């Protein structure tokens, strides 16, 4: 059955759909369709459609249930959500575009769809993106009751680590001194402060620290967070012996900062050390680095060895929870 539809190029699809939704003009009984690079968006009142839009008759499929991207594509695409940004990791540009079109045509809420255009690079741990839908890489991500405003083009953030971050935060007690050595926009630091801890959050990325300060205000914990932009090896001079808990989330190179961690550690300190290692010995290199830096000044006790996720074939992203106790 033909129904009235607004026809727009796919590049304008999400913006147009949102505009029609805000005007309460979407026909929710029929599906949005993608044909030859155009979107056909069913509408309920032709006369109310703004004049700048083209309205055509199109045989739009009935909508019986919520439409997912897989319903349109015929296969289950791989993607992750970060706020209202959908992130793809496709080597084939045409396949990425096909998935992006399906996301727009589905009931999945998305303001922006991006495809990874580079690996994480540089000391600020950022990457390039191809923006397929939308015009902004900023978003607000919600995680365990907290909100994080960020721009994926200028800061590093992984939604895949939400459960791991929550695991660590649940160990924190009110009044603890927590030092987040590579804090980003605050996904560890802000929930830690929300427990009542006193938090120092450091990051080399100026943009990340700006977002962190905003996010501290957004989550009402700015009175318990000190956010510092700079190299933690230099910042540590002002906090020697202060930290009762250290978060070292810098896989691949955290071992370069274990001497700094030891300087920061109080007489008793729990360290959450993140690493990426081969499956044959995922925890040994990190533990050796910690012991080399801490002993004999501190006793080193392993509290937990945690595999966080698979990182690459035969490689794991892991966390070592260790307690440092200063020898008398």
């Amino acid at each position: 059955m033909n129904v009235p539809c607004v026809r727009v190029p796919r590049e304008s699809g999400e913006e147009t759909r949102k505009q029609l939704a805000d005007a309460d003009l979407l026909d929710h009984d029929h599906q949005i369709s993608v044909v030859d690079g155009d979107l056909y968006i069913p509408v309920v009142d032709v006369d109310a459609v703004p004049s700048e839009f083209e309205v055509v008759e199109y045989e739009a499929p009935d909508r019986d249930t919520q439409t997912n991207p897989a319903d349109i594509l015929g296969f289950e695409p791989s993607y992750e959500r970060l706020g209202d940004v959908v992130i793809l990791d496709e080597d084939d540009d045409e396949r990425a575009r096909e998935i992006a079109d399906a996301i727009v045509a589905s009931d999945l809420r998305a303001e922006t769809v991006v495809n990874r255009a580079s690996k994480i690079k540089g000391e600020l741990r950022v990457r390039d993106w191809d923006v397929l839908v939308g015009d902004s890489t900023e978003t607000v991500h919600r995680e365990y009751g907290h909100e994080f405003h960020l721009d994926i083009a200028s800061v590093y953030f992984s939604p895949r680590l939400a459960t791991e971050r929550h695991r660590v935060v649940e160990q924190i007690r009110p009044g603890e001194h927590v030092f987040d050595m590579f804090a980003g926009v605050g996904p560890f630091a802000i929930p830690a402060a929300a427990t009542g801890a006193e938090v120092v959050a450091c990051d080399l990325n100026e943009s990340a620290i700006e977002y962190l300060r905003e996010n501290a205000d957004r989550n009402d914990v700015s009175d318990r967070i000190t956010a510092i932009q700079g190299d933690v090896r230099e910042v540590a001079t002002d906090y020697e012996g202060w930290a009762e808990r250290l978060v070292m989330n810098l896989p691949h190179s955290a071992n370069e900062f274990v001497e700094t961690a030891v300087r920061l550690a109080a007489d008793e300190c729990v360290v959450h050390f993140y690493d990426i290692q081969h499956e044959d010995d995922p925890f040994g290199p990190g533990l050796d680095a910690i012991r080399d830096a801490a002993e004999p000044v501190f006793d080193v006790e392993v509290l937990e060895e945690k595999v966080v996720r698979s990182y690459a074939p035969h490689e794991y992203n892991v966390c070592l929870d260790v307690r440092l106790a200063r020898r008398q």
Side-chain angles (χ1 to χ4, degrees):
M1 174 182 174
N2 285 346
V3 296
C5 295
V6 169
R7 180 169 62 188
V8 293
R10 63 188 179 185
E11 293 81 6
S12 306
E14 177 56 22
E15 180 183 351
T16 302
R17 187 204 63 78
K18 188 175 185 302
Q19 186 174 342
L20 295 172
D22 290 344
D24 200 25
L25 291 173
L26 291 182
D27 175 359
H28 297 289
D29 293 329
H30 295 88
Q31 296 182 22
I32 298 173
S33 300
V34 184
V35 180
D36 296 331
D38 288 332
L39 260 65
Y40 291 78
I41 306 173
V43 292
V44 293
D45 186 351
V46 174
D47 294 335
V49 174
S51 59
E52 68 263 27
F53 295 125
E54 177 189 10
V55 179
V56 299
E57 293 288 319
Y58 180 75
E59 191 172 352
D62 291 339
R63 172 180 288 172
D64 297 323
T65 59
Q66 187 177 56
T67 302
N68 295 313
D71 299 326
I72 299 168
L73 293 166
F75 62 87
E76 190 68 50
S78 177
Y79 59 84
E80 59 185 351
R81 298 289 304 276
L82 186 58
D84 54 15
V85 175
V86 175
I87 299 172
L88 309 180
D89 188 9
E90 297 290 337
D91 294 329
D92 187 310
D93 291 343
E94 284 302 313
R95 178 181 165 93
R97 170 58 66 184
E98 182 184 7
I99 295 171
D101 288 345
I103 287 169
V104 171
S106 75
D107 291 321
L108 189 68
R109 181 178 63 84
E111 295 291 334
T112 303
V113 182
V114 299
N115 191 34
R116 290 183 174 95
S118 75
K119 295 182 178 180
I120 295 171
K121 57 185 182 179
E123 59 185 3
L124 300 186
R125 299 184 294 164
V126 296
R127 67 167 89 230
D128 298 327
W129 303 94
D130 288 332
V131 180
L132 306 177
V133 174
D135 54 12
S136 174
T137 50
E138 277 195 297
T139 190
V140 175
H141 175 69
R142 293 169 179 82
E143 184 175 298
Y144 286 97
H146 302 287
E147 292 187 349
F148 302 97
H149 184 208
L150 61 114
D151 184 345
I152 61 173
S154 64
V155 304
Y156 173 80
F157 191 100
S158 175
R160 297 179 183 180
L161 298 179
T163 301
E164 171 61 17
R165 288 190 280 262
H166 188 61
R167 180 188 74 86
V168 170
V169 169
E170 284 191 311
Q171 301 176 38
I172 298 171
R173 296 294 175 260
E176 261 192 39
H177 288 182
V178 178
F179 199 114
D180 189 346
M181 296 173 64
F182 316 102
V185 301
F188 278 105
I190 285 169
T195 70
E198 294 295 321
V199 180
V200 175
C202 180
D203 202 282
L204 195 60
N205 186 336
E206 184 176 356
S207 180
I209 289 297
E210 290 174 358
Y211 279 114
L212 193 156
R213 289 173 178 148
E214 177 193 337
N215 291 330
D217 289 335
R218 178 185 288 267
N219 291 278
D220 297 321
V221 294
S222 57
D223 59 330
R224 292 191 295 279
I225 290 184
T226 301
I228 303 173
Q229 187 272 321
D231 188 320
V232 69
R233 289 168 290 199
E234 300 173 4
V235 174
T237 302
D238 296 327
Y239 290 93
E240 291 186 5
W242 181 86
E244 296 167 320
R245 187 176 302 270
L246 287 162
V247 178
M248 302 183 67
N249 185 24
L250 192 67
H252 289 303
S253 54
N255 62 316
E256 299 173 13
F257 295 85
V258 288
E259 292 184 0
T260 301
V262 170
R263 288 171 56 202
L264 290 166
D267 289 345
E268 187 166 313
C269 178
V270 174
V271 181
H272 304 281
F273 177 92
Y274 290 88
D275 201 3
I276 291 174
Q277 292 292 344
H278 194 273
E279 64 184 5
D280 290 345
D281 188 14
F283 302 103
L287 184 57
D288 288 344
I290 293 170
R291 283 181 168 151
D292 286 347
E295 294 175 344
V297 177
F298 288 90
D299 289 322
V300 178
E301 176 190 1
V302 177
L303 302 177
E304 184 171 359
E305 296 178 338
K306 174 77 172 179
V307 174
V308 178
R309 59 173 174 155
S310 176
Y311 178 76
H314 308 295
E315 287 188 328
Y316 290 127
N317 182 187
V318 300
C319 182
L320 262 172
D321 292 351
V322 301
R323 177 181 287 113
L324 305 183
R326 191 180 299 273
R327 294 177 181 175
Q328 300 302 316

